[in-house]
Amino acid sequence: MTVTSVRMSAPATVASLPTRAGAAVLIDRDTDGSLSSVCTGCGEYAWTLRVTRAFAQEHADTCIRPPRAAA
């Protein structure tokens, strides 16, 4: 039996966009090259093949939730 180890790397944050309430929308480049975003205020997570910086900026411009407390 042959065992092959697969090394998975974590997504890398490529941008952080401030929201009006002081939270941030973090944009990550995933291991497959796609983008995802998560808001530290409302918690919205977005991942599609069409997530772009403009998509994340639109959310940052409209989110009015302050940063959530760290767990």
Side-chain angles (χ1 to χ4, degrees), residues 1 4-5 7 17 24 27 29 31 41 46 51 60-61 64 68:
M1 178 164 108
T4 304
S5 128
R7 183 176 172 177
L17 307 173
I27 303 172
R29 181 165 309 282
T31 56
V51 169
D61 291 344
I64 57 172
R68 294 182 294 165

